[in-house]
């Protein structure tokens, strides 16, 4: 049984006051929720103050990106060790906005994934096709290529979460149907099995991301290979994110 994993990607939203308010609300709403891992990925400058805000709770913190080098003349960037310094334990790598807006390549993402794991943190590695790629019937081929170029037997599967985020579903209100998402998630698990073997691949959590909302979370999370969600817009509203966390908790069998 894979523990459901709900992550909020805040992207470039929230100032310090707003961030503290959101965390305070989530502390309250998530206090009674058991059996779900919850991760908050705010803008990097908020990681230090929010480490204090989540202290004493099970809420975890992550960064949205990292540079692959340990230090150096990389204006505007931050290293894995800097993220670790804040107390954050995860880094999102390969988000479609990093790939498409900032031009990150599979080669660079491979280095980033390895740097994160070498630095003792965990990775959420994002994959997903564009609308033209889906319409051309290339979804699985695109996702397989993104996996093959970045993951390998020596990239520790125990430190890895994969997020399937179809680019056409991000911020558009168009969600992949549970069946569409499940099909790709199963394909991802098959690809991971080829790299890691069945036992390790079965333990990797695969999140779905792309317009996840309180109204569609339960149906998505009910699919056998959808182990959680990487939530954008809805994670900025405490009540919406809490409802998605609750939907994940509903999928956990009673002890
Ligand atoms: P939305 O939930 O706003 O579609 O964003 C998804 C996403 O990109 C999460 O990383």
């Amino acid at each position: 049984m894979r523990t459901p994993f709900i992550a909020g990607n805040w992207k470039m939203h929230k100032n310090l006051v707003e961030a503290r308010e959101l965390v305070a609300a989530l502390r309250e709403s998530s206090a009674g929720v058991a059996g779900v891992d919850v991760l908050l990925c705010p803008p990097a400058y908020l990681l230090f103050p929010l480490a204090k805000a989540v202290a004493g709770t099970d809420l975890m913190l992550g960064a949205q990106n990292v540079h692959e080098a340990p230090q150096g003349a990389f204006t505007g960037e931050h290293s894995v060790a800097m993220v670790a310094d804040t107390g954050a334990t995860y880094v999102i790598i390969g988000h479609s906005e990093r790939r498409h807006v900032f031009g990150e390549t599979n080669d660079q993402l491979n280095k980033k994934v390895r740097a994160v794991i070498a630095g003792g943190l965990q990775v959420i590695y994002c994959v997903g096709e564009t609308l033209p790629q889906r319409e051309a019937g290339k979804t699985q081929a695109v996702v397989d290529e993104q996996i093959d170029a970045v993951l390998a037997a020596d990239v520790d599967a125990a430190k890895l979460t994969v997020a399937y985020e179809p680019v056409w579903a991000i911020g558009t209100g168009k969600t992949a149907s549970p069946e569409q998402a499940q099909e790709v998630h199963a394909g991802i698990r098959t690809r991971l099995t080829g790299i890691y073997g069945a036992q390790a691949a079965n333990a990797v959590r695969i999140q779905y991301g792309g317009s996840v909302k309180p109204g569609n979370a339960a149906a998505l999370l009910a699919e056998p290979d959808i182990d959680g969600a990487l939530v954008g817009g809805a994670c900025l509203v405490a009540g919406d994110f809490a409802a998605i966390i609750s939907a994940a908790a509903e999928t956990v069998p009673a002890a």
Side-chain angles (χ1 to χ4, degrees):
M1 174 73 202
R2 296 178 289 268
T3 303
F5 185 14
I6 305 296
N9 175 8
W10 295 18
K11 307 191 181 183
M12 199 169 73
H13 294 286
K14 302 285 180 193
N15 62 30
L16 180 56
V17 170
E18 293 164 342
R20 285 190 169 133
E21 279 170 10
L22 178 54
V23 171
L26 291 173
R27 277 181 75 120
E28 228 167 88
S29 58
S30 64
V33 179
V36 181
D37 287 345
V38 181
L39 174 71
L40 313 178
C41 299
Y45 91 104
L46 290 172
L47 287 172
F48 262 118
L50 292 191
K52 271 195 184 164
V54 301
T57 75
D58 291 332
L59 296 169
M60 300 182 287
L61 291 176
Q64 300 171 13
N65 175 42
V66 82
H67 195 279
E68 61 271 27
Q71 75 250 322
F74 301 107
T75 300
E77 295 289 318
H78 52 267
S79 71
V80 176
M82 290 168 185
V83 172
D85 248 3
T86 70
T89 48
Y90 275 84
V91 185
I92 299 172
I93 298 291
H95 190 278
S96 76
E97 287 146 22
R98 300 298 317 174
R99 291 179 190 267
H100 298 292
V101 182
F102 299 99
E104 293 189 1
T105 62
N106 279 334
D107 184 45
Q108 209 176 353
L109 298 175
N110 177 304
K111 294 191 179 109
K112 290 188 180 207
V113 165
R114 287 174 184 274
V116 170
I117 293 176
L121 301 185
Q122 311 227 34
V123 172
I124 296 178
Y125 176 56
C126 302
V127 298
E129 82 287 4
T130 62
L131 189 57
Q133 288 167 335
R134 172 163 282 268
E135 286 172 347
K138 291 187 181 150
T139 297
Q140 200 64 53
V142 167
V143 168
D144 285 350
E145 191 194 336
Q146 290 167 333
I147 289 175
D148 291 352
V150 172
L151 304 180
D154 65 344
V155 173
D156 189 358
K159 298 281 173 60
L160 178 70
T161 296
V162 176
Y164 169 56
E165 297 206 314
V167 180
W168 50 270
I170 296 176
T172 59
K174 287 185 199 157
T175 325
S177 69
E179 297 74 25
Q180 280 175 320
Q182 167 57 27
E183 189 184 358
V184 182
H185 281 230
I188 291 171
R189 201 172 304 285
T190 300
R191 204 70 179 181
L192 294 175
T193 302
I195 299 171
Y196 294 113
Q199 200 181 347
N202 278 331
V204 173
R205 292 181 291 187
I206 307 176
Q207 297 173 322
Y208 169 78
S211 298
V212 176
K213 307 286 176 205
N216 60 25
L220 288 160
L221 293 167
E223 295 292 339
D225 287 294
I226 302 184
D227 307 313
L230 182 53
V231 184
C235 84
L236 301 172
V237 180
D240 287 356
F241 196 53
I244 294 168
I245 295 166
S246 296
E250 292 288 315
T251 67
V252 180

